[in-house]
Structure formats: structure tokens, C-alpha cells
Amino acid sequence: GQVDEEGKKFAKFDDVVAKVQTCLSTPESQGNYHDFIELLKLYDKNSNGTMMLAELENLLANLGDEIPKEDVQKLLAELCDPEDEDGMFPYTPFVDRLTGKA
């Protein structure tokens, strides 16, 4: 990824598209722990293991098999740590809980 003038990291659109195309080319693949972490790192603007909860909500609700927004909110309430004052939350514990590692 690149870094903006404030030092925040961001992914290029092409990087995100490449990840999505890789997933689409192997539809039988459900991904693994490493894949989930690598995908969420694309949204880790501060390179500190956090991302915006709203971005994860949007990803889950609108990409792949669309999940109803109320179901996404229930999932996040169950599996995510609380967001901080900037709307960020640590994504590794979420993936740990989602994949049964926690």
C-alpha cells in the first residue's frame, strides 16, 4: 500500500481488485486465517492492527454473499471488541473468534 501525507496507509484500488479476483478464481476456497488477516490489513490505515468497524460492516454486508445488515450488526456485536473514539477496533481478535481460534 501507499501512505498519505498524514502517514496513514491505504491500499490501491488495483490491490483490492487483485485480492478479490484471486478469491473469485477459486470459488471453492473459503479462505483461511491468513487470508482473512491479509484482507483486513488492506483496511488497516494506521498499520496498528485496527480498522474502522464501519468498513468491516460494509464489507460483510455488500461483498460476496450479501448478508442482511441486521445480521451483520448481530455478528459484529458478538465477535468484535468495542470501537475506540475514532471508530477503530482490533481486527485480529475478531478473526480469532470468527474462525474458532479464540
Side-chain angles (χ1 to χ4, degrees), residues 59-82:
L59 273 171
L60 294 172
N62 298 311
L63 294 180
D65 296 328
E66 290 188 25
I67 303 171
K69 193 169 181 97
E70 51 279 355
D71 290 346
V72 170
Q73 290 170 340
K74 286 181 202 169
L75 178 76
L76 298 180
E78 234 178 89
L79 300 179
C80 289
D81 290 345

Side-chain angles (χ1 to χ4, degrees), residues 43 45 50-57 83 86-89:
Y43 295 90
K45 293 176 179 66
T50 64
M51 68 179 286
M52 291 189 71
L53 189 61
E55 286 182 318
L56 179 60
E57 185 176 351
E83 25 181 351
D86 297 322
M88 308 295 266
F89 80 103

